[in-house]
């Protein structure tokens, strides 16, 4: 201490700043600073840090270290932490097929989250959801529509999810070379794609999955997160092939760190560590649990929220005493946590951190509200449009009826893990659609929540009588689907179909009926799809705060080119329940468009427009060496008069694979703007690794030489349910074969 005091005096004399500890010196490298900090901690202090991923990691007063909050949610707006701009639910954002939109939503979310954290820290507040480390994004695969958490995902496709992961990570973490705006933790690693509560709890469930399915379907999104530079990975509640995910060395070390080169931290899902004992019965005591989980690669425990309940990582010191953990290993395992906090600027002077000046004025800024509206409009998918009824030809109708449980339900239209609802910025369907009628009649129809177990048929019939246009707003919401709410089937809840049938039966034959669906998990829509009285079906997912305005703009086409529907389904919409394997079956056979054996009601990538497109002049190299990217171009013409966006989808398939592979794979996509009557040339590139298949567990990835088929269009090729535009198809060859080992990066 005397030497440090003398050094500080000398430093001040020569005009340098004196830092009490080297870890506080911003002139040193992060590695040196982390080593210094960790070397100063006692084992008990380390234990306190790694045991408190929930709530706040405790302050270390003797070193001047403040508490730190590891658990926030920022997938599409800062969730559950006071005022924030609310963007569409993740499944809706993925329907936009626009990584650029995802990037801008992520960046807006990060700016608001950082501004709020600046305020919370000044106020000395360190509660859950108030920090800079996000339990986002969700990279689980939406492989089953009955799964309650599908709304949090980016759909069923690996290419789409991987592109969104890259955009999200860059948007949330920022592009500053020294400091991170926020840090992401990609979840829920791995094979945690349902169920959550039916027919079995995720807390006891064992995902039995082949290594090929794991590598080719369940892991690519997480690999994309790592490639994009995520700081964190969140390990899941379930077991994978008999080993709990948070104690699974194969997942957390062999694949994540050795194969992919991940250097960040792994944090458990909330209570997942304790569940290793109480749910999976893999270990029977806290000492073995903390030893096994840390050695497997789980750096920090987001323990039970109730402090009176056991926290296995509070047995770390005891595990060291018993020789089940090595102190040197423990000190190494905590370094990624401190590196993360340093990259967030916690230990540097505020004037060095470019985000320290952000304040609450950025919340619900005009730019962010406009982005929320844009995102909602871009997420809508037009599924049916008989005789091109939409957009509306009239600006006003004599009698408009707006019915259904979603007509004025801000909570349900926002979805799960959402920002707090701000009524002054939130519009619902009844807000947005009421201006269309001289007389407006409405009723929710359902009594109670969206399960619609009780139904007022009389009120519906009165509301639709004499209507020129009926808007039927049905859907699910948190009452029906969310974490802990899996569905047992894909039927419309309760009496919701009766609402639609009463609208059909109770209106004049010339009345138009527009069905608007709010959901993530698909539903049995065979009746409205085939009924000629239902003129249009619009899938809107959970659009959040801009719902009403977005609906008005899309239905009237009065919001510019963004008000022409261009959303595309990010998941397959099955025809019926019998097309879906049991949710507990983790084989990919029969799941998603990639392995589908049946004809769906609406295929992945499907969506209608208010205009038409024509594809031509597909150009590419006929041969490409294994390991090289595949590039080409295609011309797309807007053959209508309406300026609009189109989602160009490029698929390929293996013609003679040596192992089981997807029937078809999205290789590239782009959302492009095309003025009415114009033609543009759209370039595309399929990354070489996308062609790779998991050969076997000893060989790993392999790009197989031979012939491949290629298609480019506004949809998948060879679909019975198709849109008006054409799909171009051709072939190319990959020369020879190339083995890539255990990583295809």
């Amino acid at each position: 201490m005397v030497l440090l005091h003398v050094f500080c005096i000398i430093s001040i004399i020569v005009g340098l700043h004196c830092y009490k500890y080297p870890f506080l010196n911003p002139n040193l490298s992060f590695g040196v600073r982390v080593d210094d900090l960790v070397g100063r901690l006692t084992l008990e202090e380390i234990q306190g840090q790694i045991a408190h991923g929930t709530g706040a990691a405790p302050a270390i007063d003797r070193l001047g270290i403040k508490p730190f909050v590891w658990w926030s949610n920022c997938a599409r707006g800062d969730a559950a932490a006071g005022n924030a701009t609310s963007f569409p639910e993740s499944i809706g954002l993925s329907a936009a097929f626009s990584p650029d939109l995802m990037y801008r939503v992520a960046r807006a979310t990060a700016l608001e989250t950082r501004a709020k954290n600046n305020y919370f820290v000044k106020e000395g507040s360190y509660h859950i959801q108030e920090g800079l480390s996000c339990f986002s994004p969700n990279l689980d695969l939406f492989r089953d529509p009955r799964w309650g958490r599908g709304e949090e995902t980016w759909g069923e496709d690996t290419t789409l999810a991987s592109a969104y992961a890259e955009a999200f990570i860059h948007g949330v973490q920022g592009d500053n070379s020294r400091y991170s705006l926020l840090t992401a933790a990609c979840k829920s690693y791995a094979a945690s794609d349902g169920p959550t509560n039916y027919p079995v709890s995720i807390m006891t469930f064992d995902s039995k999955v082949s290594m090929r399915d794991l590598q080719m379907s369940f892991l690519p999104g997480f690999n994309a997160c790592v490639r994009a530079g995520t700081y964190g990975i969140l390990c899941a509640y379930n077991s994978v092939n008999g080993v709990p995910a948070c104690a699974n060395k194969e997942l957390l070390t062999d694949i994540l760190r050795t194969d992919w080169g991940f250097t960040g931290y792994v944090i458990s899902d909330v209570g997942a560590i304790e569940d290793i004992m109480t749910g999976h019965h893999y270990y029977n005591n806290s000492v073995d649990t903390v030893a096994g989980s840390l050695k497997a690669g789980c750096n920090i425990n987001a323990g039970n929220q109730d402090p009176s309940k056991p926290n296995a990582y509070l047995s770390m010191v005891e595990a060291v005493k018993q020789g089940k953990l090595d102190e040197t290993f423990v000190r190494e395992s905590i370094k990624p946590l401190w590196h993360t906090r340093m990259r967030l600027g916690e230990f540097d002077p505020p004037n060095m951190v470019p985000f320290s000046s952000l304040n609450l004025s950025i919340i619900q800024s005009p730019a962010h509200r406009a982005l929320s509206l844009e995102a909602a409009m871009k997420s809508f998918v037009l599924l049916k449009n008989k005789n091109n009824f939409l957009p509306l030809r009239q600006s006003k109708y004599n009698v408009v009826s707006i019915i259904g449980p979603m007509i004025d339900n801000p909570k349900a239209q926002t979805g799960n893990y959402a920002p707090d609802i701000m009524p002054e910025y939130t519009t619902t369907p009844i807000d947005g659609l009421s201006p269309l009628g001289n007389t407006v009649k409405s009723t929710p129809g359902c009594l109670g929540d969206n399960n619609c177990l009780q139904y007022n048929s009389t009120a519906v019939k009165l509301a639709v009588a004499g209507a020129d246009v009926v808007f039927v707003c049905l859907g699910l919401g948190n009452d029906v689907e969310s974490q802990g709410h899996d569905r047992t089937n894909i039927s419309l809840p309760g009496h919701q179909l009766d609402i639609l049938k009463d609208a059909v039966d109770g209106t004049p034959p010339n009345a138009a009926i527009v069905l608007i669906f709010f959901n993530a998990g698909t539903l049995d829509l065979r009746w409205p799809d085939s009924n000629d009285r239902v003129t249009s079906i619009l899938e809107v997912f959970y659009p959040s705060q801009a719902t009403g305005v977005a609906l008005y703009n899309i239905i009237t086409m009065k919001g510019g080119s963004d008000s022409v529907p261009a959303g595309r389904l990010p998941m397959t919409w099955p025809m019926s329940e019998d097309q879906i394997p049991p949710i507990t079956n983790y084989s990919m056979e029969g799941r998603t468009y990639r392995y589908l054996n049946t004809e769906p009601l609406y295929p992945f990538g499907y969506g209608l427009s208010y205009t038409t497109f024509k594809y031509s002049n597909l150009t590419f190299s006929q041969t490409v060496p294994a390991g090289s990217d595949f590039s080409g171009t295609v011309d797309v013409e807007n053959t209508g008069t309406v300026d609009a966006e189109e989602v160009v989808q490029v698929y390929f398939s293996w013609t003679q694979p040596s192992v089981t592979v997807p029937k078809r794979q999205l290789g590239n996509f782009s959302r492009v703007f095309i003025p009415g009557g114009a033609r543009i040339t759209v370039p595309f590139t399929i990354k070489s690794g996308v062609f790779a298949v998991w050969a076997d567990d000893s060989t790993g990835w392999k790009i197989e030489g031979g012939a491949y088929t290629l298609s480019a269009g506004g949809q998948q090729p060879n679909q019975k349910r198709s849109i008006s535009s054409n799909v171009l198809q051709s072939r190319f060859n990959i020369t020879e074969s190339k083995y890539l080992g255990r990583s295809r990066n």
Side-chain angles (χ1 to χ4, degrees), residues 460-714:
V460 171
K461 292 174 181 177
L462 288 173
V464 302
D468 300 303
V469 181
V470 180
F471 297 102
V472 184
C473 301
L474 306 180
L476 303 181
N478 294 343
D479 298 328
V480 183
E481 66 172 354
S482 61
Q483 184 173 10
H485 288 84
D486 297 328
R487 291 182 294 151
T488 61
N489 56 60
I490 63 169
S491 300
L492 273 73
H495 291 280
Q496 286 200 29
L497 184 58
D498 294 329
I499 296 176
L500 179 61
K501 289 182 175 180
D502 279 348
V504 169
D505 294 339
T507 51
N510 62 343
I513 297 175
V514 177
L515 180 58
I516 303 170
F517 262 106
F518 296 77
N519 60 290
T522 55
L523 300 137
D524 187 342
L525 293 192
R526 286 176 293 177
W527 193 88
D529 178 74
S530 62
N531 192 293
D532 286 341
R533 286 295 316 283
V534 180
T535 54
S536 306
I537 302 176
L538 188 64
E539 169 61 57
V540 300
F541 305 99
Y542 298 116
S544 295
Q545 70 179 44
T547 296
V549 178
L551 280 173
Y552 177 85
N553 287 350
I554 290 288
I555 285 170
T556 63
M557 205 176 70
K558 289 185 178 179
S561 61
D562 285 344
S563 61
V564 178
R568 303 292 181 257
L569 287 178
M571 70 288 192
T572 301
W573 199 300
M575 187 80 67
S576 59
E577 180 88 18
D578 57 11
Q579 292 184 334
I580 311 170
I583 194 171
T584 54
N585 179 358
Y586 261 70
S587 168
M588 288 302 297
E589 179 69 21
R591 291 195 185 277
T592 77
Y593 81 91
R594 299 166 68 234
Y595 296 93
L596 199 63
N597 299 317
T598 55
E599 190 66 33
L601 182 63
Y602 307 115
F604 171 90
Y606 173 83
L608 303 175
S609 176
Y610 292 159
T611 188
T612 54
F613 300 95
K614 181 181 179 180
Y615 287 76
S616 62
N617 196 26
L618 176 60
T619 62
F620 54 90
S621 297
Q622 297 295 319
T623 60
V624 59
S628 296
D629 294 344
F630 175 83
S631 297
T633 63
V634 64
D635 290 350
V636 188
E637 181 182 1
N638 182 343
T639 53
T641 59
V642 175
D643 296 348
E645 293 184 326
E646 165 72 328
V647 175
V648 180
Q649 303 171 44
V650 180
Y651 294 88
F652 71 89
S653 59
W654 298 261
T655 58
Q656 293 181 314
S658 62
V659 297
T660 301
V661 297
K663 300 178 186 302
R664 184 177 298 120
Q665 176 64 59
L666 180 67
N668 184 273
F669 64 92
S670 56
R671 182 169 178 144
V672 295
F673 171 75
I674 311 176
R679 182 174 64 183
I680 65 172
T681 298
V682 179
F684 62 84
T685 296
I686 302 176
K687 296 293 185 181
S688 63
V690 180
F691 294 112
V693 301
W694 187 259
D696 54 60
D697 294 354
S698 59
T699 303
W701 293 100
K702 175 187 177 184
I703 298 176
E704 298 195 332
Y708 290 72
T709 62
L710 179 74
S711 72

Side-chain angles (χ1 to χ4, degrees), residues 300-322:
I300 181 170
N301 177 23
N304 292 305
Q305 297 184 58
D306 185 348
S308 67
K309 293 183 177 180
N311 184 321
Y313 272 37
L314 289 177
S315 295
M316 185 273 287
V317 173
E318 182 60 30
V320 173
K321 290 179 180 178
Q322 293 185 21

Side-chain angles (χ1 to χ4, degrees), residues 142-159:
F142 198 4
R143 66 187 183 98
D144 194 301
R146 298 162 297 195
W147 179 43
R149 300 192 70 174
E151 64 185 281
E152 302 172 41
T153 76
W154 290 320
E156 72 178 30
D157 179 65
T158 54
T159 298

